Amino acid sequence: NAGVTQTPKFQVLKTGQSMTLQCAQDMNHEYMSWYRQDPGMGLRLIHYSVGAGITDQGEVPNGYNVSRSTTEDFPLRLLSAAPSQTSVYFCASSYSRWAYGYTFGSGTRLTVV
Amino acid sequence: TQLLEQSPQFLSIQEGENLTVYCNSSSVFSSLQWYRQEPGEGPVLLVTVVTGGEVKKLKRLTFQFGDARKDSSLHITAAQPGDTGLYLCAGAGRLQGAQKLVFGQGTRLTINP
Protein backbone atom coordinates (compact mmCIF):
# COMPACT_ATOMS: atom_id res chain seq x y z
CA ASN A 1 0.00 0.00 0.00
CA ALA A 2 1.18 3.52 -0.77
CA GLY A 3 -0.47 4.94 2.37
CA VAL A 4 -0.57 8.74 2.25
CA THR A 5 1.11 10.37 -0.73
CA GLN A 6 1.99 14.06 -0.72
CA THR A 7 3.27 16.13 -3.63
CA PRO A 8 5.42 18.07 -4.15
CA LYS A 9 8.21 17.24 -1.70
CA PHE A 10 9.73 20.73 -1.93
CA GLN A 11 8.39 24.05 -3.19
CA VAL A 12 9.60 27.64 -3.30
CA LEU A 13 7.00 30.36 -3.84
CA LYS A 14 7.16 34.11 -4.17
CA THR A 15 5.01 36.20 -1.88
CA GLY A 16 1.51 36.49 -3.34
CA GLN A 17 1.65 33.35 -5.46
CA SER A 18 -0.92 30.61 -5.02
CA MET A 19 -0.45 26.86 -5.14
CA THR A 20 -2.05 23.57 -4.22
CA LEU A 21 -0.45 20.88 -2.09
CA GLN A 22 -1.73 17.46 -3.07
CA CYS A 23 -2.62 14.64 -0.68
CA ALA A 24 -3.99 11.22 -1.57
CA GLN A 25 -4.59 8.11 0.52
CA ASP A 26 -5.47 4.57 -0.57
CA MET A 27 -6.61 3.16 2.80
CA ASN A 28 -10.28 4.21 2.50
CA HIS A 29 -9.88 6.42 5.57
CA GLU A 30 -12.78 8.77 6.28
CA TYR A 31 -10.75 11.26 8.31
CA MET A 32 -8.06 13.40 6.68
CA SER A 33 -6.25 16.45 7.96
CA TRP A 34 -3.52 18.97 7.23
CA TYR A 35 -0.89 20.04 9.75
CA ARG A 36 1.99 22.44 9.65
CA GLN A 37 5.14 21.80 11.63
CA ASP A 38 7.32 24.66 12.80
CA PRO A 39 10.38 24.49 15.09
CA GLY A 40 9.44 24.44 18.77
CA MET A 41 5.70 24.52 18.03
CA GLY A 42 4.88 20.92 17.27
CA LEU A 43 2.15 20.05 14.79
CA ARG A 44 -0.72 22.49 14.38
CA LEU A 45 -3.98 21.57 12.70
CA ILE A 46 -4.92 23.68 9.65
CA HIS A 47 -8.06 22.02 8.25
CA TYR A 48 -9.66 18.63 8.50
CA SER A 49 -12.36 16.49 6.89
CA VAL A 50 -14.49 13.71 8.36
CA GLY A 51 -15.65 12.48 4.96
CA ALA A 52 -16.18 13.42 1.35
CA GLY A 53 -17.95 16.76 1.05
CA ILE A 54 -17.29 17.72 4.70
CA THR A 55 -14.48 20.03 5.81
CA ASP A 56 -13.83 22.19 8.85
CA GLN A 57 -11.23 24.56 10.24
CA GLY A 58 -8.49 23.64 12.64
CA GLU A 59 -6.52 25.99 14.87
CA VAL A 60 -4.56 27.86 12.14
CA PRO A 61 -6.82 28.00 9.04
CA ASN A 62 -6.19 31.56 7.82
CA GLY A 63 -4.69 31.75 4.34
CA TYR A 64 -5.58 28.16 3.44
CA ASN A 65 -8.53 26.47 1.72
CA VAL A 66 -9.45 22.81 1.40
CA SER A 67 -12.01 20.67 -0.38
CA ARG A 68 -12.86 16.96 -0.23
CA SER A 69 -14.63 15.80 -3.37
CA THR A 70 -13.55 12.17 -2.97
CA THR A 71 -12.59 9.93 -0.06
CA GLU A 72 -9.06 9.58 -1.46
CA ASP A 73 -8.01 13.19 -2.09
CA PHE A 74 -7.67 16.20 0.20
CA PRO A 75 -5.78 19.10 -1.44
CA LEU A 76 -4.63 22.17 0.48
CA ARG A 77 -4.66 25.49 -1.33
CA LEU A 78 -2.57 28.50 -0.41
CA LEU A 79 -4.48 31.50 -1.71
CA SER A 80 -1.77 34.20 -1.59
CA ALA A 81 1.46 32.92 -0.10
CA ALA A 82 3.13 34.86 2.71
CA PRO A 83 6.55 34.35 4.34
CA SER A 84 4.73 33.29 7.55
CA GLN A 85 3.52 30.23 5.64
CA THR A 86 7.06 28.93 5.28
CA SER A 87 6.81 25.57 7.01
CA VAL A 88 6.69 21.82 6.57
CA TYR A 89 3.19 20.61 5.75
CA PHE A 90 1.90 17.14 6.58
CA CYS A 91 -1.25 15.41 5.46
CA ALA A 92 -2.61 12.68 7.73
CA SER A 93 -5.47 10.20 7.53
CA SER A 94 -7.20 7.82 9.92
CA TYR A 95 -10.28 5.63 10.30
CA SER A 96 -11.58 8.15 12.81
CA ARG A 97 -10.58 11.47 14.30
CA TRP A 98 -10.02 10.27 17.84
CA ALA A 99 -9.81 6.56 18.44
CA TYR A 100 -7.06 5.51 16.03
CA GLY A 101 -3.60 6.77 15.29
CA TYR A 102 -2.87 8.76 12.18
CA THR A 103 -0.96 7.78 9.06
CA PHE A 104 1.12 10.72 7.89
CA GLY A 105 2.54 11.55 4.49
CA SER A 106 6.21 12.38 4.08
CA GLY A 107 5.59 16.13 4.01
CA THR A 108 6.02 19.15 1.76
CA ARG A 109 8.72 21.66 2.67
CA LEU A 110 7.45 25.07 1.54
CA THR A 111 9.54 28.22 1.44
CA VAL A 112 7.90 31.57 0.68
CA VAL A 113 10.32 34.32 -0.31
CA THR B 1 -0.16 27.86 25.95
CA GLN B 2 0.98 24.31 25.25
CA LEU B 3 -1.70 21.83 26.33
CA LEU B 4 0.78 18.95 26.24
CA GLU B 5 4.25 19.55 27.59
CA GLN B 6 7.01 17.17 26.62
CA SER B 7 10.27 16.91 28.50
CA PRO B 8 13.06 17.01 27.90
CA GLN B 9 12.96 18.85 24.58
CA PHE B 10 16.45 17.59 23.69
CA LEU B 11 18.28 14.50 24.91
CA SER B 12 21.65 13.15 23.80
CA ILE B 13 22.93 9.94 25.39
CA GLN B 14 25.34 7.09 24.69
CA GLU B 15 24.34 3.80 23.15
CA GLY B 16 23.30 1.29 25.81
CA GLU B 17 21.90 3.82 28.28
CA ASN B 18 18.29 3.98 29.40
CA LEU B 19 16.07 7.04 29.08
CA THR B 20 12.58 8.30 29.81
CA VAL B 21 10.59 10.95 27.96
CA TYR B 22 7.58 12.57 29.61
CA CYS B 23 4.34 13.99 28.26
CA ASN B 24 2.35 16.01 30.81
CA SER B 25 -0.87 17.99 30.92
CA SER B 26 -3.40 19.37 33.38
CA SER B 27 -6.16 18.04 31.10
CA VAL B 28 -7.66 14.55 30.98
CA PHE B 29 -7.30 12.65 27.72
CA SER B 30 -9.44 9.83 26.36
CA SER B 31 -6.41 8.44 24.54
CA LEU B 32 -2.78 9.26 23.98
CA GLN B 33 -0.59 8.41 21.01
CA TRP B 34 3.19 8.31 20.59
CA TYR B 35 4.93 8.89 17.27
CA ARG B 36 8.53 8.83 16.05
CA GLN B 37 9.63 11.13 13.24
CA GLU B 38 12.87 10.86 11.28
CA PRO B 39 14.40 13.74 9.29
CA GLY B 40 12.56 14.43 6.05
CA GLU B 41 9.71 12.07 6.90
CA GLY B 42 6.31 12.24 8.51
CA PRO B 43 5.58 10.97 12.04
CA VAL B 44 5.02 7.23 12.36
CA LEU B 45 2.62 5.90 14.98
CA LEU B 46 4.28 3.76 17.67
CA VAL B 47 1.42 3.12 20.08
CA THR B 48 -1.96 4.30 21.33
CA VAL B 49 -2.92 4.01 25.02
CA VAL B 50 -6.50 4.45 26.14
CA THR B 51 -6.86 3.15 29.72
CA GLY B 52 -5.54 4.88 32.84
CA GLY B 53 -2.51 2.96 34.13
CA GLU B 54 -2.11 1.08 30.86
CA VAL B 55 1.38 -0.14 29.98
CA LYS B 56 2.35 -1.20 26.46
CA LYS B 57 5.67 -2.61 25.36
CA LEU B 58 7.20 -2.46 21.90
CA LYS B 59 10.51 -4.34 22.03
CA ARG B 60 12.79 -2.05 24.10
CA LEU B 61 10.18 0.74 24.33
CA THR B 62 7.72 0.88 27.23
CA PHE B 63 4.79 3.27 27.15
CA GLN B 64 2.69 4.12 30.19
CA PHE B 65 -0.53 6.11 30.49
CA GLY B 66 -0.97 7.80 33.87
CA ASP B 67 -3.69 6.59 36.22
CA ALA B 68 -5.50 9.92 35.90
CA ARG B 69 -5.01 9.97 32.10
CA LYS B 70 -3.25 13.34 32.27
CA ASP B 71 0.27 12.17 31.52
CA SER B 72 2.31 9.53 29.76
CA SER B 73 5.88 8.33 29.59
CA LEU B 74 8.09 6.56 27.09
CA HIS B 75 10.98 4.54 28.48
CA ILE B 76 13.70 3.15 26.22
CA THR B 77 15.98 0.43 27.53
CA ALA B 78 19.50 0.01 26.16
CA ALA B 79 19.12 2.76 23.58
CA GLN B 80 20.54 2.17 20.10
CA PRO B 81 21.53 4.66 17.37
CA GLY B 82 18.45 3.53 15.42
CA ASP B 83 16.28 5.04 18.18
CA THR B 84 17.45 8.52 17.16
CA GLY B 85 14.58 10.77 16.10
CA LEU B 86 11.90 13.19 17.17
CA TYR B 87 9.36 11.64 19.55
CA LEU B 88 5.92 13.22 19.65
CA CYS B 89 3.01 12.58 21.97
CA ALA B 90 -0.55 13.48 21.00
CA GLY B 91 -3.59 13.50 23.26
CA ALA B 92 -7.26 13.29 22.32
CA GLY B 93 -9.91 14.72 24.60
CA ARG B 94 -12.27 17.55 25.43
CA LEU B 95 -9.94 20.53 25.73
CA GLN B 96 -10.85 24.19 26.08
CA GLY B 97 -14.51 23.32 25.49
CA ALA B 98 -14.06 21.33 22.31
CA GLN B 99 -13.00 17.84 21.29
CA LYS B 100 -9.41 18.05 20.06
CA LEU B 101 -6.26 16.12 19.28
CA VAL B 102 -3.22 18.09 20.39
CA PHE B 103 0.46 17.38 19.88
CA GLY B 104 3.33 18.05 22.22
CA GLN B 105 6.29 20.00 20.86
CA GLY B 106 8.43 16.88 20.70
CA THR B 107 11.58 15.41 22.23
CA ARG B 108 14.59 15.27 19.94
CA LEU B 109 16.57 12.19 20.91
CA THR B 110 20.13 11.48 19.75
CA ILE B 111 21.81 8.17 20.55
CA ASN B 112 25.58 8.33 20.10
CA PRO B 113 27.48 5.15 19.12
Side-chain angles (χ1 to χ4, degrees):
Chain A
N1 283 342
V4 177
T5 302
Q6 286 186 241
T7 57
K9 184 79 171 174
F10 301 95
Q11 183 70 49
V12 179
L13 288 179
K14 293 183 179 179
T15 297
Q17 286 184 319
S18 63
M19 79 160 294
T20 298
L21 279 62
Q22 302 292 343
C23 175
Q25 53 93 8
D26 61 357
M27 298 170 285
N28 203 32
H29 285 169
E30 289 295 325
Y31 180 77
M32 296 185 74
S33 54
W34 278 100
Y35 285 87
R36 59 177 290 172
Q37 186 175 40
D38 302 291
M41 302 192 74
L43 288 158
R44 292 184 291 169
L45 181 64
I46 304 171
H47 284 285
Y48 66 94
S49 169
V50 297
I54 307 169
T55 64
D56 206 345
Q57 296 180 350
E59 59 180 307
V60 287
N62 292 340
Y64 308 95
N65 272 355
V66 292
S67 59
R68 183 97 179 268
S69 56
T70 67
T71 298
E72 294 78 20
D73 299 299
F74 191 44
L76 177 72
R77 282 183 290 277
L78 278 70
L79 309 173
S80 178
S84 61
Q85 293 178 304
T86 293
S87 187
V88 182
Y89 291 85
F90 289 100
C91 179
S93 73
S94 179
Y95 286 110
S96 79
R97 190 175 176 192
W98 311 115
Y100 297 90
Y102 292 179
T103 301
F104 283 85
S106 58
T108 295
R109 183 173 293 275
L110 175 68
T111 302
V112 182
V113 298
Chain B
T1 303
Q2 199 75 24
L3 292 173
L4 262 180
E5 293 285 345
Q6 282 189 243
S7 61
Q9 289 194 38
F10 299 93
L11 184 59
S12 179
I13 63 171
Q14 294 300 119
E15 181 176 0
E17 294 183 358
N18 302 331
L19 67 108
T20 302
V21 174
Y22 299 94
C23 181
N24 295 307
S25 178
S26 58
S27 301
V28 176
F29 295 102
S30 56
S31 67
L32 199 135
Q33 304 160 12
W34 283 93
Y35 294 83
R36 179 168 67 209
Q37 184 179 16
E38 299 189 16
E41 298 296 326
V44 175
L45 179 70
L46 296 174
V47 75
T48 300
V49 286
V50 298
T51 305
E54 183 176 2
V55 176
K56 281 192 174 180
K57 292 191 175 184
L58 190 65
K59 296 184 181 178
R60 292 175 294 101
L61 279 62
T62 301
F63 304 85
Q64 185 161 7
F65 201 12
D67 291 341
R69 292 184 288 128
K70 293 183 178 181
D71 54 83
S72 182
S73 63
L74 158 60
H75 182 77
I76 302 179
T77 303
Q80 299 178 0
D83 297 326
T84 293
L86 179 67
Y87 288 81
L88 296 161
C89 63
R94 190 155 188 87
L95 307 165
Q96 297 173 329
Q99 193 73 11
K100 295 183 180 181
L101 178 76
V102 294
F103 282 84
Q105 73 270 54
T107 294
R108 192 164 297 279
L109 176 63
T110 303
I111 309 300
N112 303 300

